[in-house]
Amino acid sequence: MTQHYRITLLPGDGIGPEIMAVTVQVLKRIGEQFDLQFEFQEALMGGVAIDATGEPLPAATLEACRASDAVLLAAIGGPQWDNLPTQQRPERGLLGLRAGLGLFANLRPAKILPQLIDASTLKREVIDGVDLMVVRELTGGIYFGQPKGIFTTESGEKRGVNTMAYTESEIDRIGRVAFETARKRSHRLCSVDKANVLEVSQLWRTHMTELAKEYPDVELSHLYVDNAAMQLVRSPKQFDTIVTSNLFGDILSDAAAMLTGSIGMLPSASLGSTGPGVFEPVHGSAPDIAGQNKANPLAQVLSAAMMLRYGLHQPQAADRIEQAVLQVLDAGNRTGDILSPGMTLLGCREMGEALLNTLQSQ
Ligand code: IPM
Ligand code: MG
């Protein structure tokens, strides 16, 4: 029986529309092969939304997202919106979407593809075999804690304030997602905090340790965030699943991404306890190459695979997309960001065609 899915597309800014166009074609092809019917609706978010409506996340966009089965987001932001006040910047739209859909769990896999091992800045022996998952808390911590703002003190000096805070229930729900994730992988979970200095981290650590009793098959370890950053570049293979707070996860997931050589390859999933998830590449909108058919669409395509796996529960269709990506790389196809000697340089659209041909012939 045909499965119908309503997907909201948020192409956003910069290279967003180009990589989204490729991904929609791939999804259509996959739909034909797996009897899935996608109803796509586009909505405005980020800089394009600011230009059209004055807001980075118009209410109509949030409504459309809420009413869909999953949301596929490309990238937002660009220099023309960088000088707006914080509340009006494209990034605010992203935070509003995360909060508005209750997407507290952000899964960011970083896996070395053998085909791209030489694209990494690290030595082959350090990264060969890296396969880790960062589970980042996404709707709490210092990104959202109160009080926040720039205030004026009694002496007339300005004072900027953000607050890193977590309740036990917030720690509990991200902890459970992380333990479950580790269970599906190699049963090792490393919780990253700054419990030697921060009270919020002490609560985090205590609660993770409590939770571990419910998951005796998962081996829990703890690292301070500064040490975790060092270990990620020193010997990344020690990690399987990492769970951490919003800010630490933001930083560590960029470092983890670069282990793989190109941030242009990495997808992510943001999930709540109910309702649609948001699936997006880890990279940004790359305004410097926008509109030039140079972007690497593979992180967006792999985000669609994550959507199929984690959002729509269609693991076979997800597998098929991931295989197709490996096959086009095996055949020597590369975009500029992952180009190495002897490989064929393709544009964004041509990479899309290579994927479609591979899917056709499977
Ligand atoms: C990310 C980004 C965002 C974040 C920005 C764009 C708001 O860096 O998704 O990692 O800090 O969460
Ligand atoms: Mg980030």
Side-chain angles (χ1 to χ4, degrees):
M1 210 186 69
T2 311
Q3 284 274 1
H4 293 262
Y5 295 113
R6 183 191 284 215
I7 311 294
T8 299
L9 304 175
L10 305 172
D13 308 314
I15 59 170
E18 298 164 64
I19 58 177
M20 188 64 93
V22 166
T23 305
V24 165
Q25 284 182 315
V26 168
L27 278 171
K28 283 185 179 157
R29 176 66 51 85
I30 283 286
E32 288 156 19
Q33 293 177 345
F34 287 84
D35 211 7
L36 314 173
Q37 201 177 56
F38 298 109
E39 187 191 319
F40 295 110
Q41 51 176 352
E42 252 186 49
L44 291 172
M45 184 175 145
V48 280
I50 295 173
D51 290 349
T53 71
E55 295 172 78
L57 179 66
T61 296
L62 189 55
E63 272 321 298
C65 292
R66 282 206 177 107
S68 53
D69 295 303
V71 178
L72 200 52
L73 167 64
I76 54 156
Q80 62 271 56
W81 303 287
D82 273 354
N83 294 324
L84 291 171
T86 326
Q87 285 310 323
Q88 289 160 32
R89 288 173 59 112
E91 289 79 359
R92 277 288 132 181
L94 196 53
L95 299 182
L97 186 69
R98 291 170 181 172
L101 296 178
L103 307 172
F104 67 87
N106 183 213
L107 307 186
R108 297 190 165 183
K111 187 175 176 176
I112 292 281
L113 302 180
Q115 295 89 340
L116 299 184
I117 201 156
D118 293 320
S120 178
T121 50
L122 281 96
K123 291 196 187 105
R124 174 181 276 265
E125 60 268 27
V126 174
I127 52 163
D128 193 6
V130 163
D131 179 359
L132 61 86
M133 175 77 90
V134 178
V135 179
R136 169 187 177 196
E137 200 289 328
L138 204 59
T139 52
I142 200 166
Y143 275 52
F144 293 91
Q146 292 291 346
K148 68 192 298 179
I150 299 173
F151 305 100
T152 307
T153 65
E154 276 174 19
S155 64
E157 189 189 13
K158 283 203 175 130
R159 184 164 180 265
V161 180
N162 289 91
T163 303
M164 190 184 280
Y166 275 110
T167 60
E168 271 186 306
S169 56
E170 285 174 315
I171 301 169
D172 189 82
R173 63 182 185 177
I174 190 68
R176 287 179 192 282
V177 170
F179 276 101
E180 296 292 342
T181 305
R183 241 180 200 168
K184 293 189 199 124
R185 297 171 51 90
S186 71
H187 296 246
R188 284 181 299 122
L189 178 63
C190 179
S191 172
V192 174
D193 61 40
K194 190 71 187 173
N196 50 345
V197 178
L198 304 176
E199 282 78 4
V200 57
S201 282
Q202 286 159 13
L203 183 67
W204 177 282
R205 188 175 283 221
T206 306
H207 198 83
M208 288 294 169
T209 307
E210 269 304 299
L211 258 185
K213 294 182 189 151
E214 292 183 41
Y215 300 86
D217 55 317
V218 177
E219 184 197 318
L220 176 69
S221 59
H222 303 274
L223 279 184
Y224 298 137
V225 62
D226 48 351
N227 189 14
M230 183 176 77
Q231 297 300 333
L232 262 180
V233 286
R234 192 184 76 91
S235 76
K237 275 182 262 186
Q238 68 185 285
F239 295 107
D240 177 59
T241 308
I242 294 174
V243 61
T244 191
S245 59
N246 204 342
L247 179 64
F248 299 162
D250 178 47
I251 299 166
L252 293 181
S253 64
D254 267 28
M258 261 335 268
L259 298 173
T260 70
S262 173
I263 202 165
M265 293 297 300
L266 294 178
S268 76
S270 302
L271 307 168
S273 34
T274 55
V278 173
F279 303 86
E280 59 176 307
V282 171
H283 64 69
S285 59
D288 51 322
I289 56 163
Q292 298 172 36
N293 193 35
K294 285 184 179 165
N296 180 352
L298 296 178
Q300 183 77 63
V301 169
L302 291 170
S303 299
M306 279 193 103
M307 174 180 89
L308 288 163
R309 187 179 309 284
Y310 294 100
L312 308 179
H313 309 291
Q314 295 288 348
Q316 284 154 350
D319 287 346
R320 179 66 69 87
I321 292 187
E322 287 166 2
Q323 279 161 17
V325 168
L326 292 181
Q327 283 173 343
V328 295
L329 293 172
D330 272 336
N333 299 303
R334 300 286 188 273
T335 42
D337 58 318
I338 51 173
L339 188 64
S340 55
M343 300 293 138
T344 313
L345 176 63
L346 296 187
C348 180
R349 281 193 298 275
E350 292 70 30
M351 186 57 104
E353 280 156 25
L355 280 169
L356 292 178
N357 290 337
T358 303
L359 286 169
Q360 187 81 310
S361 60
Q362 266 175 347

